[in-house]
């Protein structure tokens, strides 16, 4: 298939583009400028000029592909308007085509889960910064009646390839001698390695039925303080950690601080049972510890 990937140079989109290309699919990246197009070409992909804020350019890019992966989706309320506009433009361009459309949502839609792992059928209690996604997901699923093969992926905490949130803790350990964690550190993160997540996107593209939802989550949930300790070890700070009070973190990070402090258990079993997804990469703790400088 010839697949349009938004965010093809980002964390998730980049991993997805590499996985699709390795599986023999043609990757077309959305480029806003000649510089972006050149970067995509240098990576071995095709480039389609377009802007997520320009519905006409998106419609034009969609015409020449067999499927779309929207991986440039933001996780903040400030970017909700353009994400909604871009997603609706993609849906409109795909109506009546039966082409596959993979939308990147997220597990923040579940809110705090308590001790019962959230599944794709769990009630939604979204964090405020992603509340817009609840209605947008409903539009994607409803578009199946109009010939849009929509598939929703809800990634858990994504790590690997120096993902920003984990590197924030690593960087604080390097700079201040202790990795800072938001809140009391007892909240749990369910995670997924970005390359395992890319495997899920490939399987969903090739096998998932229309109007389906899959959590991209793997392994036991890990207390945030343990993740911070691993970041500290990787940064050479001997496991030292420091609490970053939630109110103080909110002043620096806005609503994203509440996401970091959210306690979540999420199940990825549906993808494993339905699609044959077999995540196999190392844990987030091993990832962070691997950043340690080798002994001289």
């Amino acid at each position: 298939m010839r697949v349009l990937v938004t965010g093809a140079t980002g964390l998730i989109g980049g991993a997805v583009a590499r996985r699709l290309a390795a599986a023999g699919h043609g990757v077309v990246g959305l480029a806003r400028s000649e510089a972006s197009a050149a970067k995509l070409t240098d990576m071995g992909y095709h480039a389609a000029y377009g802007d997520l804020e320009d519905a006409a350019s998106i419609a034009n890019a969609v015409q020449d592909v067999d499927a779309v992966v929207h991986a440039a989706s933001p996780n903040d309320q400030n970017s909700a308007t353009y994400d909604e506009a871009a997603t609706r433009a993609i849906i409109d361009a795909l109506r009546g085509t039966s082409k596959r459309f993979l939308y990147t949502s997220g597990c923040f839609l579940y809110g705090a889960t308590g001790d019962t792992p959230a599944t794709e059928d769990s009630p939604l209690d979204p964090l405020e910064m992603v509340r817009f996604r609840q209605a947008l997901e409903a539009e994607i699923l409803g578009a199946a009646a109009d010939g849009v093969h929509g598939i929703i992926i809800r990634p858990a905490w994504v790590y690997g390839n120096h993902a920003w949130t984990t590197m924030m803790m690593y960087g604080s350990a390097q700079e201040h001698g202790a990795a800072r964690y938001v809140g009391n550190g007892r909240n749990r993160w369910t995670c997924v390695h970005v390359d395992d997540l890319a495997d899920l996107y490939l399987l969903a593209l090739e096998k998932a039925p229309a109007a389906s939802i899959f959590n991209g989550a793997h392994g036991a949930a890990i207390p945030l303080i343990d993740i911070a300790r691993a970041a500290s070890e990787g940064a050479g700070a001997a496991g030292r950690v420091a609490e970053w009070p939630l109110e103080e973190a909110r002043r620096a990070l806005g609503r994203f601080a509440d996401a970091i402090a959210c306690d979540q258990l999420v199940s990825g079993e549906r993808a494993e049972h339905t699609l044959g997804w077999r995540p196999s990469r190392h844990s987030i703790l091993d990832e962070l510890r691997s950043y340690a400088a080798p002994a001289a």
Side-chain angles (χ1 to χ4, degrees), residues 38-296:
K39 184 175 182 179
L40 289 164
T41 302
D42 289 344
M43 296 170 73
Y45 308 140
H46 300 284
Y49 286 98
D51 190 318
L52 291 175
E53 298 182 65
D54 181 351
S57 69
I58 292 176
N60 187 58
V62 167
Q63 286 180 356
D64 296 326
V65 298
D66 304 305
V68 178
V69 174
H70 184 25
S73 300
N75 264 327
D76 62 85
Q77 189 68 37
N78 293 333
S79 300
T81 300
Y82 90 70
D83 188 44
E84 289 172 325
T87 300
R88 287 171 181 145
I90 294 170
I91 292 172
D92 287 342
L94 293 179
R95 292 190 194 279
T97 66
S98 297
K99 291 180 179 179
R100 291 172 178 258
F101 170 37
L102 273 67
Y103 175 73
T104 304
S105 185
C107 287
F108 294 150
L109 278 177
Y110 299 119
T113 64
D115 294 329
T116 302
T119 72
E120 293 82 352
D121 297 321
S122 295
L124 301 182
D125 183 22
L127 300 184
E128 186 59 35
M129 71 174 189
V130 296
R131 190 171 300 279
F132 73 96
R133 290 195 191 281
Q134 187 168 2
L136 198 57
E137 282 195 2
E139 290 184 40
I140 294 167
L141 299 177
D146 294 328
V148 180
H149 194 116
I151 302 160
I152 293 169
I153 307 293
R154 293 175 178 162
W157 279 103
V158 181
Y159 66 95
N161 295 341
H162 297 83
W164 175 77
T165 310
T166 49
M167 293 311 296
M168 183 173 64
M169 288 183 280
Y170 177 91
S172 68
Q174 283 194 317
E175 184 176 356
H176 304 293
R180 291 203 300 179
Y181 55 89
V182 175
N184 60 27
R186 292 193 296 271
N187 66 295
R188 295 158 292 183
W189 281 13
T190 304
C191 302
V192 63
H193 192 284
V194 68
D195 291 332
D196 283 327
L197 184 62
D199 290 343
L200 174 56
Y201 275 77
L202 174 63
L203 289 165
L205 179 71
E206 296 180 338
K207 300 170 61 175
S212 55
I213 303 173
F214 296 96
N215 291 335
H218 174 59
I222 302 171
L224 181 58
I225 194 169
D226 292 346
I227 296 172
R229 287 194 183 102
S232 175
E233 292 168 11
R240 291 185 292 273
V241 296
E243 180 178 341
W244 191 3
L246 181 56
E247 287 299 328
E248 182 181 326
R250 282 175 178 150
R251 290 194 289 272
L253 302 176
R255 292 171 176 168
F256 194 63
D258 293 281
I260 295 174
C262 187
D263 183 44
Q264 283 196 322
L265 278 65
V266 181
S267 170
E269 290 185 2
R270 174 181 289 180
E272 296 179 24
H273 295 159
T274 304
L275 302 178
W277 184 43
R278 297 291 181 266
S280 61
R281 274 73 174 189
H282 54 234
S283 72
I284 189 172
L285 303 180
D286 291 338
E287 171 80 13
L288 286 163
R289 290 169 181 144
S290 75
Y291 296 156

